């Protein structure tokens, strides 16, 4: 099978890139032919046979005339249509697997794929993995950065709320562009050409299904997690948080709980806005940002880890990475987090944004050694999809 992976970034940049690189690598190992389309970049590590990529666009650093031209290019890209057509004509994929494409590549690539299918009479599936809420919410996150609150006002096609509340980088101009982009492609109906939308949580599926365009096309596939050896280690006397130090990750609530628990030691690994506040707490040790190899032992030796998010998380890797290493997780009951943590069985849940409740459950987990051992055993026994299992399901989606 010939598979064209489409993502705006073709260099290591975040979760969607980790996803496409690992999927592509495994699919190639299984004998499938995989090529990639996206932006050119000095760090690009995958590609296609005709070396056709769009020019790199940095939407954060543009100025002057670039701001005006970028405004149009983020809605519709003639360049992206021309470049992907070269790849389609040369490669002739059986599947075009879309990932993050808005703003840099734009949905105009779907227009070209559809045109190419009609002209060549090629039966090429268009599959989309939703890594966030980009097709139903112009700021992709379903939150308002100005009020630090989750928001569903744009659901049902009411995209004007994005501009009204300045939901993209708190900028009226950028929010207006995002609003126009959402309305334009909604009116064009181009997303009806997508055959299947892969959602990494049932929660995300429920939100995608609010748009009639996707109701009969969504499927749930929780993210895969790499296998790891269950090495028995001696747990140390600390509670772990690893990830971004930002408001949507619940760091303010975590700081409040840490301040009320001076006798419990916390280790945090990451970087972000609240780094100074965390590092100033006497019972918190900040070990800084760590890559996966550097995190392994820190995760294994923690009594448990915390995922205190206040945004609509989908399928956090931090939870699965803890569980496969035999470390239970205390998670906020929001988004897709409850789909990964069975409260009182392999971890605990608390009310998102409630520092008092977080403090209470931290104390309960920390002090009850017997229950912690049960949670740990259940994490070790937990079966999460590996990339092998995930790809088996994915190939069925490609083929149906």
């Amino acid at each position: 099978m010939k598979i064209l992976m489409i993502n705006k970034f073709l260099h290591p940049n975040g979760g969607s890139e980790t996803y496409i690189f690992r999927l592509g690598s495994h699919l190639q190992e299984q004998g499938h032919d995989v090529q990639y389309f996206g932006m050119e970049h000095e760090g690009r590590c995958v590609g296609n046979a005709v070396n056709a990529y769009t020019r790199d666009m940095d939407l954060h650093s543009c100025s002057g005339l670039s701001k005006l031209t970028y405004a149009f290019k983020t809605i519709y890209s003639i360049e992206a249509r021309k470049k992907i057509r070269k790849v389609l004509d040369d490669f002739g994929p059986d599947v075009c697997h879309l990932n993050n494409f808005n703003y840099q590549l734009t949905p105009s690539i779907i227009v070209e794929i559809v045109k190419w299918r009609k002209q060549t009479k090629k039966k090429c599936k268009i599959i989309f993995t939703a890594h966030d809420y980009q097709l139903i919410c112009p700021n992709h996150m379903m939150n308002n950065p100005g009020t630090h609150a989750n928001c569903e006002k744009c659901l049902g096609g009411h995209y004007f709320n994005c501009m009204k509340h300045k939901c993209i980088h708190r900028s009226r101009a950028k929010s207006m562009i995002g609003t126009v982009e959402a309305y334009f492609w909604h009116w064009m109906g181009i997303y009806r050409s997508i055959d299947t939308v892969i959602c990494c949580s049932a929660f995300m599926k429920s939100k995608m299904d609010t748009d009639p365009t996707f109701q009969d096309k969504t499927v749930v596939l929780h993210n895969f997690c790499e296998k790891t050896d269950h090495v028995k280690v001696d747990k140390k006397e600390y509670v772990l948080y690893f990830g971004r130090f930002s408001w949507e990750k619940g760091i303010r609530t975590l700081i409040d709980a840490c301040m009320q628990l001076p006798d419990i030691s916390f280790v945090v690994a990451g970087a972000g806005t609240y780094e100074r506040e965390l590092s100033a707490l006497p019972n918190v040790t900040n070990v800084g940002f760590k890559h996966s190899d550097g995190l392994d032992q820190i995760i294994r030796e923690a009594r448990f880890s915390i995922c205190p998010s206040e945004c609509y998380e989908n399928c956090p890797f931090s939870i699965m990475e803890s569980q496969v290493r035999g470390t239970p997780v205390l998670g906020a009951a929001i988004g897709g987090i409850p789909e990964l943590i069975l409260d009182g069985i392999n971890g605990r849940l608390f009310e998102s944004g409630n520092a008092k409740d977080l403090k209470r459950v931290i104390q309960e987990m920390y002090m009850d050694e017997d229950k912690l051992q049960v949670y740990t055993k259940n994490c070790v026994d937990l079966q999460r999809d590996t990339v092998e299992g995930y790809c088996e399901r994915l190939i069925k989606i490609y083929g149906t």
Side-chain angles (χ1 to χ4, degrees):
M1 185 177 287
K2 292 183 176 182
I3 302 156
L4 181 61
M5 286 283 180
I6 300 170
N7 193 63
K8 55 190 178 185
F9 300 120
L10 299 181
H11 63 276
N13 186 70
S16 65
E17 289 72 47
T18 301
Y19 173 87
I20 65 167
F21 297 156
R22 189 67 188 93
L23 278 190
S25 175
H26 183 74
L27 289 168
Q28 286 175 319
E29 290 170 6
Q30 298 303 303
H32 301 286
D33 194 355
V34 181
Q35 293 190 22
Y36 300 81
F37 178 76
M39 290 192 300
E40 184 58 281
H41 186 275
E42 61 183 3
R44 180 176 60 78
C45 56
V46 293
N48 54 70
V50 292
N51 284 318
Y53 315 100
T54 63
R55 284 169 290 182
D56 192 10
M57 289 178 65
D58 186 349
L59 302 181
H60 299 285
S61 63
C62 62
S63 60
L65 183 61
S66 295
K67 287 186 177 180
L68 182 60
T69 58
Y70 271 28
F72 291 104
K73 289 179 180 178
T74 57
I75 296 173
Y76 191 97
S77 174
I78 296 173
E79 180 194 19
R81 285 193 64 171
K82 289 180 177 178
K83 293 294 179 67
I84 198 170
R85 182 57 183 251
K86 290 182 179 180
V87 181
L88 294 171
D89 285 338
D90 175 74
F91 186 40
D94 301 300
V95 176
C96 285
H97 189 152
L98 302 167
N99 291 273
N100 287 343
F101 60 87
N102 286 69
Y103 300 140
Q104 281 88 345
L105 300 180
T106 79
S108 56
I109 59 172
I110 305 176
V111 177
E112 192 61 35
I113 296 169
V114 172
K115 179 181 178 181
W116 175 79
R117 284 196 309 194
K118 290 179 179 177
Q119 290 178 342
T120 62
K121 295 182 172 54
K122 177 78 173 181
K123 293 182 179 179
C124 175
K125 286 289 187 66
I126 300 177
I127 308 298
F128 172 62
T129 293
H131 297 278
D132 56 29
Y133 304 97
Q134 63 176 287
L135 301 193
I136 55 175
C137 169
N139 92 334
H140 294 195
M141 298 297 293
M142 288 183 64
N143 62 32
N144 186 322
T147 60
H148 288 186
N150 294 316
C151 172
E152 300 186 10
K153 292 179 180 178
C154 284
L155 295 187
H158 306 296
Y159 306 126
F160 67 89
N161 285 292
C162 175
M163 183 173 65
K164 179 180 178 181
H165 300 288
K166 298 190 292 186
C167 292
I168 299 178
H169 302 152
R170 303 186 70 176
S171 163
R172 183 80 67 188
K174 291 180 180 178
S175 299
M176 181 180 69
I177 293 169
T179 300
V180 171
E181 190 260 3
Y183 275 122
F184 178 75
W185 291 110
H186 181 80
W187 288 329
M188 288 286 288
I190 192 59
Y191 296 137
R192 289 197 292 269
S193 300
I194 297 174
D195 294 291
T196 303
V197 177
I198 298 172
C199 302
C200 58
S201 68
F203 178 85
M204 171 176 272
K205 183 182 187 303
S206 72
K207 299 306 176 187
M208 294 296 294
D209 286 349
T210 62
D211 188 326
T213 303
F214 307 117
Q215 281 179 353
D216 299 323
K217 299 183 177 184
T218 54
V219 298
V220 177
L221 277 185
H222 286 110
N223 289 329
F224 56 85
C225 193
E226 299 291 352
K227 289 181 179 178
T228 182
D229 295 329
H230 292 298
V231 181
K232 185 173 178 60
V233 299
D234 293 328
K235 293 289 187 178
K236 294 187 177 179
E237 299 300 311
Y238 66 83
V239 176
L240 174 67
Y241 169 83
F242 60 102
R244 194 162 64 249
F245 301 158
S246 55
W247 71 266
E248 72 273 10
K249 295 299 183 180
I251 295 302
R252 294 176 307 170
T253 301
L254 178 61
I255 289 172
D256 288 345
C258 291
M259 291 174 65
Q260 298 176 57
L261 295 167
D263 296 330
I264 294 179
S265 296
F266 295 84
V267 170
V268 296
T273 310
Y274 292 91
E275 187 168 351
R276 181 178 298 179
E277 288 89 338
L278 280 166
S279 299
L281 298 177
N283 59 331
V284 173
T285 301
N286 181 7
V287 297
F289 178 80
K290 299 285 185 181
H291 290 288
S292 56
D293 291 342
L295 266 175
D296 184 81
Q297 196 69 11
I298 296 172
I299 296 173
R300 290 181 188 275
E301 293 180 346
R303 288 178 70 80
F304 57 91
S305 67
I306 301 179
C307 181
S309 288
E310 292 171 26
C311 62
Y312 287 155
E313 290 280 9
N314 293 308
C315 188
F317 280 107
S318 63
I319 293 178
M320 295 187 295
E321 288 171 352
S322 293
Q323 290 173 334
V324 298
R325 288 169 174 80
T327 296
V329 183
L330 165 56
I334 192 170
I337 292 175
E339 297 173 40
L340 302 178
I341 301 172
L342 301 176
D343 193 26
I345 296 176
N346 62 9
R348 292 293 308 276
L349 296 170
F350 76 99
E351 182 184 355
S352 177
N354 187 331
K356 183 178 180 181
D357 196 39
L358 176 57
K359 172 196 170 185
R360 175 184 65 81
V361 184
I362 289 174
Q363 283 179 311
E364 290 177 1
M365 286 186 71
Y366 195 88
M367 300 304 294
D368 197 329
E369 186 64 39
D370 291 339
K371 284 188 178 179
L372 260 182
Q373 288 184 11
V374 172
Y375 301 157
T376 298
K377 180 183 181 303
N378 289 338
C379 284
V380 171
D381 294 340
L382 196 61
Q383 296 296 314
R384 291 277 178 227
D385 243 350
T386 60
V387 69
E388 292 84 3
Y390 189 95
C391 282
E392 285 181 14
R393 292 171 171 80
L394 189 60
I395 289 297
K396 291 179 182 178
I397 292 172
Y398 286 170
T400 55

